[in-house]
């Protein structure tokens, strides 16, 4: 009977340990998920920063090219070309609008 009592006590202690370990495992899994979310967020922020740097570099390159073009073409000529392009764009819009009216 004493042996059965000792075995029951050991079994009860083992079950208690198993339950504690399960609880700890659940806590660790939650921490793992939280850390994974933080890592994912950091990767996203890193990707966004890379995109911002690439966009800024492209903008700088574009600005440099525009400066070079402005340096090669007199401002008056450049303004005239831009005005012609805008005029042609507006004319194209009017033609499309008129074509839609006729349809």
């Amino acid at each position: 009977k004493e042996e059965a009592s000792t075995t029951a006590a050991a079994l009860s202690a083992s079950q208690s340990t198993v339950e504690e370990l399960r609880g700890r495992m659940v806590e660790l899994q939650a921490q793992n998920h939280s850390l994974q979310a933080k890592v994912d967020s950091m990767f996203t922020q890193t990707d966004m920063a890379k995109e911002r740097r690439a966009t800024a570099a492209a903008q700088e390159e574009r600005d440099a090219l525009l400066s070079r073009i402005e340096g090669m073409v007199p401002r008056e000529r450049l303004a005239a070309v831009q005005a012609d392009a805008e005029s042609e764009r507006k004319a194209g819009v009017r033609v499309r609008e008129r074509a839609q009216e006729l349809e």
Side-chain angles (χ1 to χ4, degrees):
K1 188 171 187 175
E2 188 175 313
E3 186 179 326
S5 177
T6 303
T7 303
L11 180 59
S12 177
S14 292
Q15 287 175 333
S16 185
T17 301
V18 166
E19 288 178 19
E20 287 177 23
L21 289 173
R22 280 189 183 140
R24 184 70 181 130
M25 186 176 75
V26 168
E27 290 173 15
L28 290 172
Q29 285 174 334
Q31 287 177 356
N32 183 43
H33 289 303
S34 175
L35 290 172
Q36 187 61 47
K38 287 179 184 176
V39 168
D40 291 346
S41 174
M42 291 169 75
F43 276 119
T44 299
Q45 290 174 1
T46 300
D47 290 344
M48 290 170 54
K50 285 179 184 176
E51 286 180 28
R52 283 193 299 272
R53 285 193 298 272
T55 300
Q59 183 70 35
E60 288 178 20
E61 185 177 342
R62 178 184 159 275
D63 291 346
L65 286 172
L66 285 175
S67 293
R68 283 182 52 205
I69 290 170
E70 287 175 351
M72 295 185 316
V73 178
R75 287 193 183 274
E76 300 80 26
R77 177 71 184 126
L78 189 57
V81 168
Q82 289 172 335
D84 288 346
E86 181 63 16
S87 176
E88 288 178 18
R89 186 192 66 77
K90 287 180 181 177
V93 168
R94 285 193 297 271
V95 167
R96 282 192 297 278
E97 288 172 350
R98 183 69 178 137
Q100 287 175 349
E101 289 174 9
L102 294 174
E103 288 177 353

